[in-house]
Amino acid sequence: MRDVLIGADPKVALTARATTRLTALREDAAATVHSGGSVVVRDREGEVRWWTWAGFRANATLIATLSDLADPTQRYDDASIRLRADLDREMWRVATADADQRICLPDVTEKALAGLKFSASLPPRLAAATLAVRLADVEVAAAVLKEPVRFAYL
C-alpha cells in the first residue's frame, strides 16, 4: 500500500476512473507516507497515529511490543497504530531503542479463543499461544522498528 501511495503503479491495467481515484488517494495520504520509513503524525485534535503501512498482523505485533506507547483502546488495522496523545520524540526514542530485540506476541481476546477450532481440547495457555503466533508478524514488525521514523504535525 505504501509503495503505491508513494507512486508505484499497480501491475494491472487501470481504468481512467481508477487512475483519478488513485491520484486523489495519493494526495490525501501524502503526509502519512515516505519512502524511507514510517511516519508518526499528530493531528490538529492532538491524536497521534503511527503510519506503518505494515499490515494487520505486523501492527498487532507492534502494539504488543510498544504497549506503553500505544493507545490501549484502539482497534488496529493494516495501515496505522494510534499512540498515546502525550507522546514526544524522546519517549519514542527510549521506547524503540531496542524494541526490535524484544518483540512481543499480540494479546489474544477471549472471543478469539472461543472461536479457535478444538479450543476446548487445549489448555488455555496453549490455545492463547497458538493464536498469538498466528496473529503475529514478527519479521515485518522487526523490519518496521529498524526503519527511520519521520514525525509530522498536521
Side-chain angles (χ1 to χ4, degrees):
M1 288 187 288
R2 178 173 72 177
D3 291 344
V4 170
L5 290 173
I6 290 170
D9 287 324
K11 298 190 185 325
V12 295
L14 297 176
T15 64
R17 189 169 107 188
T19 301
T20 300
R21 181 69 179 128
L22 184 55
T23 299
L25 287 170
R26 286 174 173 158
E27 289 172 8
D28 290 346
T32 66
V33 295
H34 83 89
S35 59
S38 58
V39 182
V40 173
V41 175
R42 180 181 304 277
D43 68 17
R44 289 182 180 99
E45 290 78 39
E47 182 175 282
V48 179
R49 190 164 289 276
W50 181 20
W51 292 90
T52 66
W53 300 100
F56 184 87
R57 293 172 50 227
N59 281 349
T61 307
L62 291 166
I63 289 169
T65 302
L66 300 174
S67 59
D68 290 344
L69 297 183
D71 180 339
T73 64
Q74 74 181 301
R75 289 185 176 200
Y76 41 90
D77 61 24
D78 294 333
S80 67
I81 297 169
R82 192 171 56 240
L83 302 174
R84 291 174 30 181
D86 64 340
L87 178 78
D88 61 30
R89 289 176 193 246
E90 181 61 16
M91 288 170 59
W92 178 266
R93 188 190 63 74
V94 169
T96 61
D98 65 344
D100 64 319
Q101 302 301 310
R102 56 178 173 78
I103 292 181
C104 298
L105 296 177
D107 291 329
V108 176
T109 65
E110 291 296 323
K111 183 178 178 182
L113 284 172
L116 180 65
K117 193 173 188 178
F118 305 115
S119 63
S121 63
L122 292 173
R125 291 182 69 200
L126 180 56
T130 300
L131 279 179
V133 169
R134 288 182 185 174
L135 182 59
D137 191 337
V138 172
E139 186 176 316
V140 172
V144 169
L145 288 166
K146 291 176 185 173
E147 291 180 338
V149 176
R150 178 182 289 177
F151 285 79
Y153 300 89
L154 300 180

